Amino acid sequence: MLKTDDCGGLRAGDAGRVVTLAGWVHRRRDHGGLLFFDLRDRSGIVQVVCNDATPPEARAAAAGLRPEYVVQVKGTVCRRPQGLENPELLTGEVEVQATDVTILNAARTPVFYINEDEDVDESLRLRYRYLDLRRPSMQRNIILRHQTVKFIRDYLSARNFIEIETPMLIRSTPEGARDYVVPSRLHAGCFYALPQSPQQLKQLLMVAGFERYFQIARCFRDEDQRADRQPEFTQLDLEMSFVDREDVLALTEELFTALVPAVSDKKVMYSPFPRLSYPEAMARYGSDKPDLRFGLEIADLTAQAAATGFQVFRQATEAGGVVRGLKAPGCAGYTRKQLQELTDLAVRAGAKGLVWIARGEVESPRRGEGESPQSGEVRSPAAKFLSEGELQSLIDGLALENGDLGLIVAGEEATTSSALGSLRSELGARLGLVRSDVLAFAWVLDFPLLEWNPDEGRYQAVHHPFTAPLDEDLPYLETDPGRVRAKAYDVVANGYEVGGGSIRIHRRDVQERMFRAIGLSDEEARAQFGHLLEAFEFGAPPHGGIAPGIDRLVMLLAGAPNIREVIAFPKTQRAADLMLGSPSCISERQLRELCIECTVRAET
Ligand code: ASP
């Protein structure tokens, strides 16, 4: 190798050793006779010094160094003079007195600082990702990702799981999201699809008798992008035979509980993971991926509200809706502007409006000079429509104490939940309740199997069509599909869905009933899923699994703001790779070979 040691590994105990190092010039300081530069490799940084004792050629080479030049340095490790140690660096007690400095490659001035964690425009970072990845924070994220995946591989291998690769070029199947497709040259006019997940293949591996499978699997979904989505992403895909729900939950829980302290300084907040049914998660937290790092639970006020004469509440409850609210502790003094911000947030999340109740004893900027707040004074735009007793029942329902602010939303259950869910997240952040040192994992269970798709006029699978219904709900699959619950589960953490899975259907007749329930004719089902239906006739074992998202998991472990920070070469929100310049046009020849005629030519 061009080096004997790693820069970041040198310590006081190495003093006196002659070493050869290689790396990048991180920073340089020229003090006339004394020239210092910091040399960086993956392991860290060490200070190199050229002084009077340094041979002239080495000094000359060092004098020509610029940031990010690639250099090889030979020299002796020395203790730094007393008082000049740098406690910020692990190598801060030593420096290397150079005897040889060889420039291995020059570098253009970097387009942004590598040696400072300054805010850089993200498109510039993505265009020059190889430079961005040199930055210590990005190196940490990518190394954390490696450690996470390695831990998972070791953990599952020790528990008798087998890693099996499944193909990237598969068949397009209507599984939920839009497929990415690849044209076939040998079968003109036909297309492969890239897997949205290896779902069917892992089930077929169970039919094949492998019993315990996993894969660090790349998945592709052509969906509109959000902060925590990418067109291609990575899942820990796993499947087990002869299990029920508890077995999959237990394995996942044990894996995460062991993983978190092994690779990060975060703590798992709850053990065992709390379990919420889907309706409970929506009612108490306004989200199917609740952030359980803080309380702020939603209270149901429907009964109290229905008994009032307040038009807004009456209309909602008479239409079969709900009235629910949230306590914002210590926020009674919120200004008109702050209340408007919360109202706007609720409206954006689908609420018609927001009713607030502030309970006394806080300095309010709205209060006129000389007026002092009364203990227990209650202010609310709804007060004039409510009797004192009615107002009190709402205050009791929200458990408002002096200084608290109550936020109430009335309307359909779904929109009320999501509005209060948004308010809850916002308040968690505003009130500083969101701890950054923990992962609050939880399970959300008992999802509905099917949901009505009004655009297509049919039911669709909430999870995917291979998920088994709860045994006791199976009889309703034809008669009342909307009430059937699924043997599905999501693992959530800190407000994110980390993964989902289910116990699967393993009998042909049940799978056929499921396909019918989502509006597929028997012919369509056979055409699209014949391979699976057929496989179920050859002795398919009961099986189930889960697929936690690696990107989101590492993002949470790293405390990163989005998944792009933990992916080496991510795409933008518009699904473009700014470094490679993809997607791009292909040549006429390539198109001809594929028998594809392009009616649109994008600008390149
Ligand atoms: N294939 C599913 C998904 O990607 C996960 C699972 O059911 O195991 O969501």
Side-chain angles (χ1 to χ4, degrees):
M1 281 197 72
L2 301 187
K3 58 184 196 173
T4 57
D5 286 75
D6 289 331
C7 297
L10 300 177
R11 296 287 181 273
D14 293 304
R17 281 185 54 220
V18 174
V19 294
T20 306
L21 305 174
W24 289 262
V25 175
H26 193 65
R27 209 173 261 129
R28 64 185 283 283
R29 294 173 296 286
D30 199 340
H31 297 287
L34 217 53
L35 200 146
F36 296 97
F37 61 93
D38 289 340
L39 191 65
R40 184 191 74 234
D41 63 14
R42 195 182 83 194
S43 66
I45 286 170
V46 71
Q47 175 165 287
V48 180
V49 50
C50 298
N51 53 21
D52 293 342
T54 311
E57 295 102 84
R59 280 181 72 95
L65 294 180
R66 296 281 170 274
E68 301 309 308
Y69 272 37
V70 185
V71 291
Q72 187 185 41
V73 174
K74 261 191 210 135
T76 309
V77 181
C78 304
R79 285 198 79 119
R80 290 198 197 189
Q82 223 168 17
L84 295 180
E85 296 92 351
N86 180 355
E88 308 269 298
L89 284 183
L90 288 172
T91 59
E93 284 186 324
V94 296
E95 59 192 7
V96 176
Q97 300 245 359
T99 50
D100 284 290
V101 175
T102 311
I103 297 178
L104 300 177
N105 209 346
R108 274 167 55 186
T109 305
V111 284
F112 44 80
Y113 286 112
I114 311 292
N115 54 17
E116 269 158 53
D117 253 334
E118 54 161 10
D119 253 346
V120 180
D121 174 55
E122 196 180 15
S123 47
L124 201 61
R125 291 177 56 199
L126 293 176
R127 162 88 174 72
Y128 295 96
R129 189 59 156 182
Y130 47 87
L131 293 181
D132 189 38
L133 289 171
R134 275 188 202 166
R135 304 204 293 172
S137 59
M138 291 305 286
Q139 295 252 323
R140 270 198 300 279
N141 288 355
I142 300 300
I143 291 169
L144 171 65
R145 186 179 178 115
H146 159 75
Q147 288 163 340
T148 302
V149 169
K150 178 171 188 310
F151 184 94
I152 290 171
R153 283 205 159 99
D154 292 345
Y155 189 92
L156 292 176
S157 305
R159 278 156 193 78
N160 225 5
F161 281 80
I162 296 176
E163 183 168 9
I164 306 175
E165 288 171 88
T166 54
M168 286 287 161
L169 298 176
I170 63 165
R171 185 198 161 98
S172 178
T173 49
E175 218 182 285
R178 203 179 287 112
D179 282 327
Y180 276 102
V181 294
V182 179
S184 158
R185 180 180 56 83
L186 294 177
H187 304 268
C190 292
F191 292 81
Y192 301 98
L194 302 181
Q196 293 184 24
S197 83
Q199 183 59 38
Q200 295 181 56
L201 293 154
K202 70 173 168 176
Q203 291 191 238
L204 292 166
L205 287 171
M206 294 304 103
V207 180
F210 283 103
E211 294 194 28
R212 292 182 152 217
Y213 141 95
F214 81 100
Q215 178 179 196
I216 306 297
R218 193 64 63 83
C219 306
F220 304 84
R221 295 181 195 174
D222 189 359
E223 293 174 307
D224 291 334
Q225 303 304 308
R226 291 201 236 120
D228 58 343
R229 290 235 175 108
Q230 280 275 302
E232 51 180 306
F233 58 96
T234 308
Q235 286 182 341
L236 160 59
D237 194 45
L238 70 85
E239 197 75 6
M240 306 158 81
S241 289
F242 309 116
V243 290
D244 63 24
R245 191 182 77 176
E246 290 307 318
D247 301 299
V248 183
L249 265 48
L251 175 93
T252 311
E253 204 160 318
E254 284 159 19
L255 167 62
F256 284 173
T257 305
L259 166 76
V260 173
V263 300
S264 77
D265 52 13
K266 304 247 186 281
K267 283 178 274 303
V268 173
M269 193 162 175
Y270 305 110
S271 199
F273 298 177
R275 295 177 177 203
L276 296 161
S277 72
Y278 171 77
E280 199 184 349
M282 295 306 291
R284 285 170 59 190
Y285 302 101
S287 168
D288 59 0
K289 36 185 186 294
D291 189 341
L292 298 188
R293 285 176 295 176
F294 57 93
L296 294 190
E297 278 193 38
I298 295 167
D300 192 86
L301 306 168
T302 311
Q304 295 94 311
T308 70
F310 185 30
Q311 187 71 3
V312 173
F313 290 171
R314 291 295 287 269
Q315 264 172 7
T317 53
E318 276 163 18
V322 297
V323 180
R324 291 182 183 158
L326 203 58
K327 170 166 89 173
C331 296
Y334 261 28
T335 61
R336 205 180 287 272
K337 179 162 164 281
Q338 286 171 311
L339 290 166
Q340 189 59 46
E341 283 166 3
L342 295 182
T343 307
D344 292 346
L345 186 71
V347 169
R348 274 204 301 282
K352 291 213 185 74
L354 182 68
V355 174
W356 55 266
I357 303 176
R359 187 158 182 208
E361 224 167 36
V362 178
E363 266 323 315
S364 162
R366 298 194 309 128
R367 197 171 275 114
E369 195 129 356
E371 283 177 66
S372 62
Q374 303 273 308
S375 167
E377 178 201 359
V378 173
R379 289 165 298 122
S380 168
K384 53 179 174 292
F385 306 109
L386 299 166
S387 72
E388 212 162 287
E390 289 169 350
L391 195 56
Q392 192 56 47
S393 72
L394 294 171
I395 290 172
D396 292 344
L398 290 168
L400 297 187
E401 312 216 347
N402 264 353
D404 293 344
L405 175 72
L407 302 170
I408 303 174
V409 177
E412 268 176 41
E413 180 163 12
T415 47
T416 303
S417 284
S418 64
L420 285 164
S422 300
L423 288 169
R424 180 177 176 271
S425 308
E426 174 68 20
L427 288 170
R430 282 186 185 216
L431 300 176
L433 303 175
V434 187
R435 289 174 60 181
S436 60
D437 62 330
V438 291
L439 290 182
F441 286 109
W443 290 108
V444 181
L445 309 169
D446 295 342
F447 284 85
L449 184 73
L450 299 160
E451 67 193 348
W452 183 249
N453 180 331
D455 298 334
E456 295 184 21
R458 64 171 184 96
Y459 279 99
Q460 64 187 25
V462 169
H463 199 58
H464 51 58
F466 317 110
T467 295
L470 286 190
D471 298 334
E472 62 265 38
D473 290 357
L474 184 58
Y476 305 108
L477 195 52
E478 288 79 18
T479 52
D480 190 1
R483 74 172 274 186
V484 179
R485 288 163 299 166
K487 288 186 185 169
Y489 30 79
D490 273 359
V491 56
V492 302
N494 296 9
Y496 288 90
E497 181 197 325
V498 173
S502 58
I503 297 301
R504 325 299 183 184
I505 297 168
H506 67 282
R507 276 180 23 204
R508 178 170 181 139
D509 57 328
V510 181
Q511 188 64 69
E512 282 175 332
R513 286 170 64 189
M514 178 65 183
F515 286 144
R516 272 178 228 130
I518 58 169
L520 289 184
S521 69
D522 287 355
E523 293 72 54
E524 285 169 328
R526 230 169 293 133
Q528 287 166 15
F529 299 105
H531 50 278
L532 194 72
L533 292 170
E534 195 175 23
F536 285 175
E537 289 179 5
F538 287 100
H543 60 286
I546 191 166
I550 294 290
D551 310 288
R552 282 189 200 160
L553 189 60
V554 179
M555 172 188 85
L556 291 170
L557 289 166
N562 64 61
I563 60 172
R564 295 187 299 282
E565 299 296 313
V566 298
I567 298 174
F569 299 106
K571 296 190 176 48
T572 63
Q573 299 279 84
R574 294 211 59 229
D577 183 323
L578 299 181
M579 187 182 66
L580 298 177
S582 75
S584 66
C585 291
I586 55 173
S587 71
E588 285 297 336
R589 209 189 96 219
Q590 282 172 300
L591 287 171
R592 255 197 320 277
E593 276 177 350
L594 297 166
C595 300
I596 288 179
E597 211 175 308
C598 240
T599 53
V600 190
R601 288 304 270 180
E603 308 255 324
T604 37

